[in-house]
């Protein structure tokens, strides 16, 4: 529906260490039932299909939107697609309590064309004990003469990223009287991120010290498609309880806000070697460097107040 951009300290309202806030508001359901279909087509194989139905029935406001986006990309190796679903329910409970339930799911994949060089050049390998250089077949293109290109390493290592994010939120607003209200906010979600990266050839060159010491042609037999796959799986939840008091002092309006916030987040991270854009198993090169890490449960409590 709208986006608000606010500059300045808003830690009391939106969390600690916030030097500014970008807040997105989901569209409210209309009174009458509506069904909408959308189709967009553009350059570079870009398409987007969307459907939406919303309205009000039995004092329950509902909103549901689903879309699919697909593009071949402006540059080589820059195709992407995304599926997204959003749902919203609003209804009134007894005793002056309003409830809002929000659901959001997103699933996306995108190729990564990496960056371009100032001028067209072949990547090189360097020995760490001398100034000898060995040319490779990995070519980097100029951003000025060939802006649509992607470096050869982007396709040989098949650099790309995929993400999924699921989140459900609840907002309960209870009016105690005309001047005071309580607001309970809770959310829970999960996020998965998997990114395939290319390894800089300068790093690979250090591993070639013994192989290429007296035989520069040995680089042609070395697998230059090697890379790393980095994944993060995150589970999180958050809760917040606020009290708001509005009134007047000396014919001037004021607002007092006080609240308590508690949440936690747990990450599971894993890095593994790849070849030709595929993860390597126990037989893969340097497989002992595969790492897996689970972060400790992180939580925070925030007690704050503000007077406006």
């Amino acid at each position: 529906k709208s986006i608000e951009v606010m500059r300045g300290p808003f830690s009391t309202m939106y969390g600690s260490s916030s030097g500014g806030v970008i807040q997105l508001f989901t569209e409210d359901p209309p009174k009458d039932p509506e069904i909408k279909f959308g189709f967009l087509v553009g350059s570079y194989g870009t398409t987007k299909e969307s459907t939406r139905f919303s309205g009000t029935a039995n004092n329950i406001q509902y909103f549901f939107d689903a879309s699919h986006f697909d593009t071949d990309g402006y540059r080589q190796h820059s195709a992407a697609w995304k599926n997204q679903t959003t749902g919203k329910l609003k209804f009134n409970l007894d005793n002056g309590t309003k409830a809002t339930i929000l659901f959001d799911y997103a699933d996306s994949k995108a190729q990564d064309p990496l960056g371009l060089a100032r001028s067209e050049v072949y990547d090189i390998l360097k020995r760490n004990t001398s100034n000898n250089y060995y040319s490779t077949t990995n070519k980097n293109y100029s951003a000025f003469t060939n802006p649509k290109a992607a470096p050869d390493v982007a396709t040989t290592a098949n650099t790309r990223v995929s993400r999924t994010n699921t989140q459900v939120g609840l907002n309960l607003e209870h009016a105690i009287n005309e001047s005071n209200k309580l607001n309970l906010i809770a959310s829970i979600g999960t996020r998965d991120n998997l990114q395939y990266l290319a390894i800089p050839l300068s790093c690979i060159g250090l591993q070639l010290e013994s192989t290429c010491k007296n035989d520069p042609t040995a680089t042609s037999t070395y697998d230059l498609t090697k890379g790393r796959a980095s994944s993060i799986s995150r589970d999180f939840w958050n809760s917040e309880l606020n009290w708001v008091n509005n009134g007047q002092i000396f014919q001037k309006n004021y607002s007092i806000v006080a609240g308590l916030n508690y949440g936690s987040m747990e990450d599971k991270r894993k890095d593994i070697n790849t070849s030709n854009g595929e993860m390597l198993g126990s037989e893969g090169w340097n497989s002992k460097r595969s790492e897996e890490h689970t972060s400790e449960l992180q939580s925070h409590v925030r007690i704050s107040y503000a007077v406006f």
Side-chain angles (χ1 to χ4, degrees):
K1 177 184 177 181
S2 61
I3 300 176
E4 287 186 358
V5 180
M6 295 173 282
R7 298 176 60 185
F10 290 96
S11 59
T12 300
M13 298 294 294
Y14 300 102
S16 61
S17 303
S18 60
V21 176
I22 301 177
Q23 190 169 207
L24 289 77
F25 295 87
T26 304
E27 182 177 340
D28 290 325
K31 293 182 178 180
D32 299 323
E34 294 181 352
I35 299 178
K36 295 182 179 181
F37 300 96
F39 178 73
L40 177 147
V41 61
S43 304
Y44 310 108
T46 301
T47 59
K48 181 179 181 180
E49 305 86 27
S50 62
T51 181
R52 171 190 303 183
F53 64 87
S54 56
T56 303
N58 299 323
N59 294 323
I60 298 177
Q61 302 178 51
Y62 59 90
F63 175 92
F64 179 83
D65 180 276
S67 64
H68 173 76
F69 173 82
D70 201 345
T71 182
D72 293 335
Y74 169 77
R75 294 176 56 194
Q76 298 175 6
H77 197 71
S78 64
W81 64 262
K82 180 179 182 179
N83 293 323
Q84 185 163 359
T85 302
T86 299
K88 184 177 183 179
L89 293 174
K90 294 183 67 175
F91 51 90
N92 294 329
L93 301 174
D94 295 334
N95 303 321
T97 302
K98 300 179 181 179
T100 302
I101 299 175
L102 186 65
F103 168 80
D104 185 77
Y105 170 78
D107 182 17
S108 64
K109 292 185 179 180
Q111 294 176 322
D112 185 357
L114 302 179
L116 294 174
R118 177 178 294 274
S119 58
E120 190 172 287
V121 63
Y122 282 93
D123 291 330
I124 58 174
L125 298 176
K126 179 182 177 181
R127 295 219 322 266
N128 62 345
T129 57
S130 69
N131 293 323
N132 294 332
Y133 291 85
Y134 304 109
S135 298
T136 72
T137 58
N138 282 326
K139 189 175 183 180
N140 205 343
Y141 301 89
S142 169
F144 298 98
T145 60
N146 197 354
K148 292 186 178 181
D152 289 347
V153 68
T155 54
T156 55
N158 195 11
T159 52
R160 64 196 188 275
V161 63
S162 61
R163 298 186 180 97
T164 59
N165 189 89
T166 305
Q167 188 167 349
V168 179
L170 170 67
N171 188 341
L172 292 176
E173 184 178 297
H174 177 69
I176 301 174
N177 50 45
E178 293 183 356
S179 300
N180 297 275
K181 68 177 181 180
L182 293 175
N183 193 20
L184 173 64
I185 302 172
S187 63
I188 187 172
T190 181
R191 180 178 178 88
D192 293 297
N193 186 96
L194 175 60
Q195 187 164 12
Y196 287 81
L197 308 167
I199 293 181
L201 292 181
S202 58
C203 297
I204 298 178
L206 297 179
Q207 303 175 35
L208 294 174
E209 174 63 24
S210 59
T211 305
C212 305
K213 193 170 185 178
N214 299 311
D215 184 10
T217 63
T219 57
S220 62
T221 63
Y222 192 78
D223 183 5
L224 297 175
T225 70
K226 293 173 180 176
R228 294 283 280 181
S230 176
S231 68
I232 302 176
S233 180
R234 171 172 297 170
D235 297 320
F236 57 91
W237 63 270
N238 186 70
S239 60
E240 183 173 340
L241 179 63
N242 292 325
W243 166 67
V244 181
N245 174 260
N246 297 309
Q248 283 190 338
I249 297 179
F250 305 114
Q251 298 181 345
K252 298 294 184 179
N253 294 329
Y254 75 87
S255 178
I256 299 176
V257 181
L260 176 68
N261 174 272
Y262 182 79
S264 70
M265 179 179 69
E266 183 179 11
D267 283 355
K268 294 181 179 179
R269 301 169 180 262
K270 186 174 183 179
D271 291 311
I272 191 170
N273 297 311
T274 65
S275 179
N276 288 299
E278 299 295 333
M279 293 185 186
L280 295 174
S282 58
E283 301 301 324
W285 71 283
N286 202 13
S287 58
K288 291 183 180 180
R289 291 187 59 190
S290 300
E291 301 173 358
E292 184 170 2
H293 171 70
T294 302
S295 64
E296 295 181 357
L297 186 66
Q298 303 176 11
S299 61
H300 64 276
V301 177
R302 176 170 58 91
I303 301 176
S304 57
Y305 69 93
V307 178
F308 303 94

